[in-house]
Amino acid sequence: MREIKNLREMYLFSQKAKNHGKKVGFVPTMGALHEGHLSLVAEAKKKADVVVVSIFVNPIQFAPNEDFAHYPRNLRHDKKLLKNHDIDALFLPEASKILPEDFKTFVEVEGLSKKLCGRSRPAHFRGVTTIVAKLFNIVAPDVVFFGEKDFQQQLIIRQLIKDLNLSIELVSVPIVREYDGLAMSSRNSRLSSHERKAAAIIYKALSIAQEEIERGEKDINKIVFRLRSLIGSEPVVRIDYLMVVNPETLEEAKQAKGKILLAIAAHVGKTRLIDNLLIDAR
Ligand code: AMP
């Protein structure tokens, strides 16, 4: 595994692979890696000849009151995991090189960026898409891998790729969960043991709603009410949003019919978690 910090070196590494007819796969991450990230790496190994993983905790996707300073970081552990997974390059750009003082350009996907997480984190996706666009230019991948845990993010990146005519294929990878259903997240390590137990209600409630929809419940208000009361049984969990939306437009669904996305963000103590379930409601 080659470790690359220099942006130009990263670009040349990719170009060399491409010149040899190799397909470059790219997995952008913020580190503190877990099985969810590794499932993206496994998918990349299947679909690409050369696999690049980046670790960059992107400062501009955090608002000043959010957890940038406390975001989990564990580079030693990450390197060990990635070595075991036999990736080709680990890209570790420095913040000062990605965001020099005279940096002025932002990339924003309108509309989608203001829904769901964009309501309580209005500048979040602008920060994500700006850095992802830069990483795409530096790594110059043929295929990129994003997790469905961040469903809205992968949808926004798809739109970015389309709108900017990037020759990149996006592969989205299903959510990897803990034994009790909690979606794996780097932030889970910040939960106390009590919060960690309570957090399981998020997936449990989503699953109960899914069963009800599959049994024929169509009324969104009833579904949301039931989800809220289930999650409300854990006082340490505070819902930020809980919505049933169209998985392509993220517009609120009027009925549980066809493909719908149950999407939730909740604070568990001080930690904000997200999760979702994609349901085909016949
Ligand atoms: P992050 O390091 O949290 O920015 O995530 C990097 C990538 O890993 C994103 O594409 C995430 O959607 C994906 N990811 C994070 N957690 C999971 C998970 N539990 N299952 C699948 N993909 C995940």
Side-chain angles (χ1 to χ4, degrees):
M1 178 178 86
R2 183 151 146 199
E3 251 179 72
I4 303 178
K5 287 200 170 126
N6 184 281
L7 311 193
R8 180 88 190 139
E9 186 186 340
M10 183 67 250
Y11 182 75
L12 293 175
F13 176 91
S14 259
Q15 291 308 314
K16 191 168 166 199
K18 287 178 162 188
N19 289 341
H20 284 85
K22 303 244 160 98
K23 190 167 173 179
V24 176
F26 178 40
V27 181
T29 82
M30 298 212 300
L33 303 180
H34 50 67
E35 290 297 324
H37 297 110
L38 296 176
S39 74
L40 305 190
V41 171
E43 203 54 32
K45 300 248 336 163
K46 273 194 234 154
K47 295 210 160 70
D49 306 307
V50 168
V51 174
V52 179
V53 175
S54 66
I55 296 179
F56 180 66
V57 184
N58 169 15
I60 61 168
Q61 72 180 62
F62 292 82
N65 61 337
E66 291 177 353
D67 60 348
F68 175 69
H70 302 288
Y71 192 82
R73 291 164 172 89
N74 197 344
L75 190 55
R76 249 196 14 206
H77 168 259
D78 291 350
K79 282 187 192 172
K80 220 160 115 188
L81 280 181
L82 293 171
K83 267 192 195 133
N84 289 340
H85 281 73
D86 197 26
I87 63 158
D88 298 278
L90 171 59
F91 182 38
L92 297 167
E94 283 170 26
S96 62
K97 298 289 186 307
I98 294 282
L99 295 164
E101 271 178 23
D102 61 352
F103 181 79
K104 294 274 187 288
T105 307
F106 288 84
V107 177
E108 182 162 1
V109 174
E110 293 182 349
L112 288 176
S113 295
K114 296 291 178 234
K115 298 184 189 300
L116 301 181
C117 285
R119 289 180 167 197
S120 46
R121 307 184 76 191
H124 171 68
F125 288 112
R126 177 188 194 244
V128 171
T129 42
T130 300
I131 295 304
V132 167
K134 284 175 71 88
L135 291 174
F136 284 179
N137 279 331
I138 298 162
V139 177
D142 298 292
V143 52
V144 293
F145 299 84
F146 284 84
E148 286 169 10
K149 200 208 34 127
D150 300 84
F151 191 93
Q152 183 175 13
Q153 173 174 273
Q154 60 82 32
L155 202 64
I156 288 172
I157 306 288
R158 261 180 213 287
Q159 186 76 40
L160 167 101
I161 289 173
K162 180 168 167 277
D163 290 349
L164 297 185
N165 304 93
L166 304 179
S167 300
I168 297 176
E169 179 195 352
L170 187 151
V171 175
S172 58
V173 179
I175 303 177
V176 178
R177 297 182 178 280
E178 300 282 357
Y179 67 94
D180 58 357
L182 178 66
M184 286 196 179
S185 163
S186 305
R187 288 188 169 99
N188 290 352
S189 66
R190 305 205 58 229
L191 300 170
S192 69
S193 67
H194 171 66
E195 289 165 353
R196 171 63 191 82
K197 273 192 206 131
I201 193 68
I202 297 172
Y203 178 66
K204 201 168 158 197
L206 290 178
S207 307
I208 291 172
Q210 177 176 27
E211 278 168 27
E212 289 177 358
I213 292 165
E214 286 173 352
R215 263 192 258 119
E217 182 59 76
K218 296 259 177 295
D219 187 331
I220 301 280
N221 289 334
K222 270 196 197 158
I223 296 163
V224 170
F225 181 80
R226 176 106 168 92
L227 270 165
R228 281 190 182 278
S229 57
L230 279 163
I231 293 170
S233 68
E234 284 291 357
V236 76
V237 182
R238 188 167 48 83
I239 295 171
D240 173 5
Y241 66 77
L242 196 174
M243 293 178 77
V244 184
V245 298
N246 174 311
E248 281 167 24
T249 61
L250 304 184
E251 298 286 349
E252 274 190 77
K254 295 199 170 57
Q255 250 197 334
K257 224 176 138 192
K259 287 212 166 86
I260 50 167
L261 184 78
L262 304 186
I264 180 167
H267 293 272
V268 182
K270 285 191 175 141
T271 307
R272 185 176 180 277
L273 301 178
I274 56 173
D275 200 352
N276 68 78
L277 266 187
L278 187 60
I279 300 172
D280 198 351
R282 280 151 213 288

